[in-house]
Amino acid sequence: MVKSMEADHAIIYNPIAGKAEQTEKDIEYMCNCLDDLKISYKLFQTEYAQHAIELATQLAKEGYRVIAAGGDGTCNEIMHGTIISNTNALVGFIPMGSGNDIPAAIGYRADIKRSCEIIAEGHSSKCDIGYAKRDDGTKRYFLGIGSQGFDSEVARRSNEDKEKDYNMIILTLLKEWENQEIIVKMDNDTYEGEANLAAVGLSGAYGGGMFICQRASIEDGLFDISIVNIDKVKLARQFRRMYNASLLPHPDIQEYQSKRVRVEMRTFEDEPYVCQVDGEVLGSLPVNYECIQDGYEFIRPKTNEFAEEFKQKYGHYMWECTH
């Protein structure tokens, strides 16, 4: 189907994401930038949960380049909706969230003006994408990390209460958390035992720049898997090292690579861990992950501008294990 409107880009945003007043200001600033760059676009706002998926699918079929303006939840829904449209419509991002890990995965800095310029430049290329599917059929494409355990429970609680501070949720959960035993089946390895969490990383970070799979690459056709079994008091002390990407190697973190991963509870009597991808909670284990090499094409900067900004700030790239 060919779009009927005279616009090349469909920009989808969530008007009530984060603080509505700030979102309104960000959208207005974005529109000014896009107008200055003479980009033809039409705005679409979401009206209910997962509406972004429906809009992205519909607009991709109408011939638009689909742009996600917002945080990681909005970005994931729009990316997923576009991919399942089976149109190969290009996807781009204008980061406006508190974390922005998904745009960062393909090189975007958290800079609205610069992101608009990237959309205007129109450079695109393919990268790997992740695909998660639970046994009940729930499925989702993703660009960041699929995880289960402590971190996915943080994501679940964060999604339930948008006003809560992410770090406060972590500290509260640490007091009540009890590790359980899981089985992680990979192409050439199996992990079986107790774990705080198992992170299946297409890219390195979640939670607003916490690098748990810092060696991960969206260009190698493989997941980087970090299975963490750290005393919960010690775990709290690792957060700073996640933010500056100096966590790995770590004696209590097992690292693997695999194209396919299945995670399940070791004992059916245990209450199962929940799984999440890109901050979107899919439900309880078990779950299967697949890395699809060169799986989708995105509008993105020619160089990884996020990585260069990170190096300027910390003195090293996030994938360089300096510890």
Side-chain angles (χ1 to χ4, degrees), residues 29-45:
Y29 178 58
M30 175 195 73
C31 290
N32 289 335
C33 292
L34 293 171
D35 291 341
D36 289 344
L37 292 162
K38 294 181 171 50
I39 296 175
S40 64
Y41 66 93
K42 186 171 178 62
L43 287 178
F44 299 86
Q45 69 177 42

Side-chain angles (χ1 to χ4, degrees), residues 11-287:
I11 300 176
I12 305 172
Y13 71 99
N14 180 358
I16 59 171
K19 296 181 179 179
E21 185 178 332
Q22 184 59 50
T23 300
E24 188 176 333
K25 290 179 181 177
D26 287 344
I27 294 297
E28 183 179 356
Y29 178 58
M30 175 195 73
C31 290
N32 289 335
C33 292
L34 293 171
D35 291 341
D36 289 344
L37 292 162
K38 294 181 171 50
I39 296 175
S40 64
Y41 66 93
K42 186 171 178 62
L43 287 178
F44 299 86
Q45 69 177 42
T46 61
E47 298 175 358
Y48 47 85
Q50 299 199 353
H51 189 202
I53 296 176
E54 297 173 18
L55 281 173
T57 302
Q58 172 191 333
L59 294 166
K61 289 179 178 179
E62 291 179 9
Y64 290 96
R65 293 182 169 195
V66 184
I67 311 300
D72 284 338
T74 300
C75 289
N76 175 271
E77 287 196 7
I78 291 167
M79 178 191 76
H80 177 77
T82 308
I83 293 173
I84 65 174
S85 73
N86 295 316
T87 61
N88 296 318
L90 291 176
V91 175
F93 301 116
I94 300 177
M96 294 182 185
S98 57
N100 304 310
D101 294 308
I102 300 174
I106 57 172
Y108 285 84
R109 294 184 286 117
D111 183 313
I112 293 174
K113 181 180 179 182
R114 177 59 192 140
S115 297
C116 291
E117 291 170 350
I118 291 166
I119 301 303
E121 290 163 5
H123 171 75
S124 66
S125 62
K126 289 185 177 181
C127 69
D128 303 342
I129 56 173
Y131 178 69
K133 185 176 182 180
R134 292 178 59 233
D135 286 5
D136 70 354
T138 304
K139 53 192 175 184
R140 185 67 70 96
Y141 290 99
F142 65 101
L143 259 180
I145 292 176
S147 69
Q148 32 279 310
F150 182 88
D151 48 355
S152 58
E153 179 62 20
V154 171
R156 186 185 70 79
R157 296 189 183 195
S158 177
N159 289 347
E160 287 181 355
D161 190 344
K162 297 290 187 181
E163 296 302 315
K164 269 193 176 180
D165 178 79
Y166 192 82
N167 290 322
M168 186 58 66
I169 293 172
I170 291 173
L171 293 174
T172 301
L173 184 57
L174 276 171
K175 296 176 184 178
E176 59 189 69
W177 182 259
E178 295 294 337
N179 285 358
Q180 298 190 51
E181 294 189 342
I182 59 173
I183 301 174
V184 184
K185 300 176 181 178
M186 296 159 279
D187 294 339
N188 301 306
D189 301 279
T190 299
Y191 175 91
E192 189 169 348
E194 193 173 286
N196 302 80
L197 62 93
V200 180
L202 189 70
S203 54
Y206 54 16
M210 298 177 71
F211 284 88
I212 185 69
C213 300
Q214 66 191 69
R215 304 181 204 260
S217 167
I218 55 169
E219 313 288 352
D220 64 0
L222 295 169
F223 289 120
D224 278 60
I225 300 105
S226 292
I227 302 176
V228 180
N229 188 22
I230 303 176
D231 175 86
K232 62 183 181 181
V233 176
K234 293 180 180 178
L235 181 64
R237 298 172 184 161
Q238 308 305 315
F239 294 149
R240 181 186 60 81
R241 292 176 56 194
M242 291 187 199
Y243 281 115
N244 63 23
S246 64
L247 180 65
L248 302 176
H250 190 288
D252 298 319
I253 299 178
Q254 303 295 316
E255 295 181 75
Y256 305 90
Q257 285 190 315
S258 184
K259 180 177 177 62
R260 293 179 178 84
V261 182
R262 178 176 172 84
V263 188
E264 57 192 40
M265 303 304 295
R266 187 176 184 184
T267 305
F268 290 110
E269 289 76 16
D270 288 340
E271 183 177 350
Y273 284 164
V274 297
C275 59
Q276 66 85 27
V277 296
D278 289 349
E280 299 296 296
V281 177
L282 302 185
S284 57
L285 294 179
V287 65

